[in-house]
């Protein structure tokens, strides 16, 4: 009865094993550049092509910016200063249907400090294209409807810990961020082939000041969330005890 699933899993494992992680680096006096993605992504031709196209565009833009910044560094007598761009994609989990990836982008373009941002990508193997949690649930705003109170409460609890109970005067650093501003993707924390949490990452400045760094909150998958998923995706998730 489970033979099609097992066969699909075997094919998936074989494809992943045949692929290797990819890391492309370019280093010059103007720019230190790297772009990497895992074997799970490299094993999917369309996704591998997407990342290669993305890195070429990113490299062209970062190099042009780096060359311009060199003029400023020279005027400021900042000997040896150079821009950098580092994009790293990692696997957050996968099932026979879905691959969940997250990334960290670190850049420096001459400011007071480097900047770091986060994003997520869900790849639908059957449709061979990116998707989103809202799409898995059947429409815009569906994820918020089943997770937002839990997420916002958990975020506030983490803020209290980091700030040791102190309340910041800036309203934007106390508000619950819009989901559209967050990196959101499913997570398989025990690597059993099913997603058990939804990972929400707010980049620095989004949920708090730069010194507080990013805010990562993991909301456990519930039976309510699974029931809200489109039927074809429910087997990719597992409910957690509350």
């Amino acid at each position: 009865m489970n033979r099609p699933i097992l066969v699909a899993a075997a094919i998936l494992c074989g494809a992943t094993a045949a692929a290797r992680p990819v890391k492309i680096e370019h280093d010059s006096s103007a720019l230190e550049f790297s772009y990497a993605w895992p074997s799970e992504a490299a094993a999917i031709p369309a996704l591998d092509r997407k990342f290669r196209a993305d890195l070429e565009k990113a490299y062209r833009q970062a190099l042009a910016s780096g060359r311009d910044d060199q003029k400023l560094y020279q005027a400021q007598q900042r000997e040896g200063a150079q821009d950098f761009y580092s994009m790293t994609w990692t696997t957050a989990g996968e099932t026979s249907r879905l691959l969940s990836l997250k990334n960290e982008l670190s850049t420096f373009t001459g400011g007071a400090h480097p900047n770091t941002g986060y994003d997520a990508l869900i790849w639908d193997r059957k449709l061979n294209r990116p998707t989103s949690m809202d799409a898995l649930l059947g429409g815009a705003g569906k994820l918020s409807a089943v997770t937002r109170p839990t997420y916002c409460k958990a975020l506030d609890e983490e803020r209290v810990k980091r700030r040791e109970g102190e309340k910041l005067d800036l309203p934007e650093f106390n508000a619950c961020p819009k989901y559209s501003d967050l990196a959101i993707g499913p997570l398989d924390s025990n690597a059993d082939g099913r997603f058990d949490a939804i990972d929400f990452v707010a980049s620095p400045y989004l949920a708090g000041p730069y010194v507080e760094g990013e805010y990562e909150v993991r909301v456990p998958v519930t039976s309510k969330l699974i029931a809200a998923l489109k039927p074809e995706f429910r087997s990719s998730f597992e409910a957690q005890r509350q």
Side-chain angles (χ1 to χ4, degrees):
M1 181 170 60
N2 292 327
R3 181 175 174 77
I5 296 176
L6 294 174
V7 170
I11 293 173
L12 169 62
C13 291
T16 301
R20 294 182 178 181
V22 177
K23 184 174 184 179
I24 295 177
E25 300 176 291
H26 300 290
D27 196 4
S28 66
S29 60
L31 176 68
E32 181 181 341
F33 178 94
S34 69
Y35 199 116
W37 58 96
S39 58
E40 293 86 351
I44 302 172
L47 184 52
D48 186 71
R49 289 193 298 271
K50 169 181 166 53
F51 283 152
R52 291 181 186 278
D54 288 349
L55 86 86
E56 289 296 336
K57 180 179 179 181
Y59 178 61
R60 288 196 303 269
Q61 293 176 343
L63 182 59
S65 178
R67 287 171 172 167
D68 287 340
D69 289 340
Q70 278 297 302
K71 300 173 185 176
L72 177 62
Y73 300 152
Q74 290 171 7
Q76 296 173 337
Q77 297 183 337
R78 296 168 64 181
E79 194 70 29
Q82 66 176 162
D83 286 6
F84 73 75
Y85 180 107
S86 174
M87 171 70 85
T88 303
W89 286 94
T90 56
T91 300
E94 63 175 333
T95 70
S96 59
R97 176 71 184 264
L98 302 171
L99 172 62
S100 178
L101 302 170
K102 57 184 180 179
N103 75 31
E104 178 176 331
L105 172 61
S106 297
T107 61
F108 177 74
T109 55
H113 55 72
N115 291 309
T116 304
Y118 300 85
D119 204 352
L121 183 152
I122 308 170
W123 189 268
D124 186 328
R125 288 189 170 95
K126 181 177 180 180
L127 299 180
N128 202 30
R129 68 187 186 197
T131 186
S132 67
M133 282 303 306
D134 272 343
L136 302 184
L137 288 158
K142 292 294 183 71
L143 179 65
S144 179
V146 293
T147 63
R148 189 156 181 82
T150 303
Y151 166 70
C152 293
K153 180 181 178 181
L155 174 62
D156 282 339
E157 290 173 350
E158 180 60 24
R159 282 168 166 162
V160 169
K161 291 179 184 178
R162 295 192 190 184
R163 298 169 186 174
E164 298 181 342
E166 182 181 349
K167 188 83 170 181
L168 298 186
D169 292 334
L170 297 173
E172 63 269 28
F173 291 156
N174 297 310
C176 193
K178 297 178 182 178
Y179 274 16
S180 58
D181 292 333
L182 302 173
I184 303 175
L187 175 70
D188 179 5
S189 62
N190 59 6
D192 70 350
R194 291 190 295 172
F195 300 118
D196 50 62
I198 309 301
D199 197 35
F200 296 79
V201 183
S203 298
Y205 290 123
L206 186 56
Y210 179 81
V211 294
E212 291 182 354
E214 76 278 7
Y215 275 90
E216 181 174 10
V217 173
R218 295 178 178 180
V219 174
V221 169
T222 62
S223 56
K224 180 180 179 181
L225 186 146
I226 291 177
L229 287 163
K230 296 172 72 173
E232 61 263 40
F233 299 115
R234 290 173 187 165
S235 63
S236 290
F237 292 77
E238 58 182 345
Q240 301 299 293
R241 292 183 179 180
Q242 300 299 298

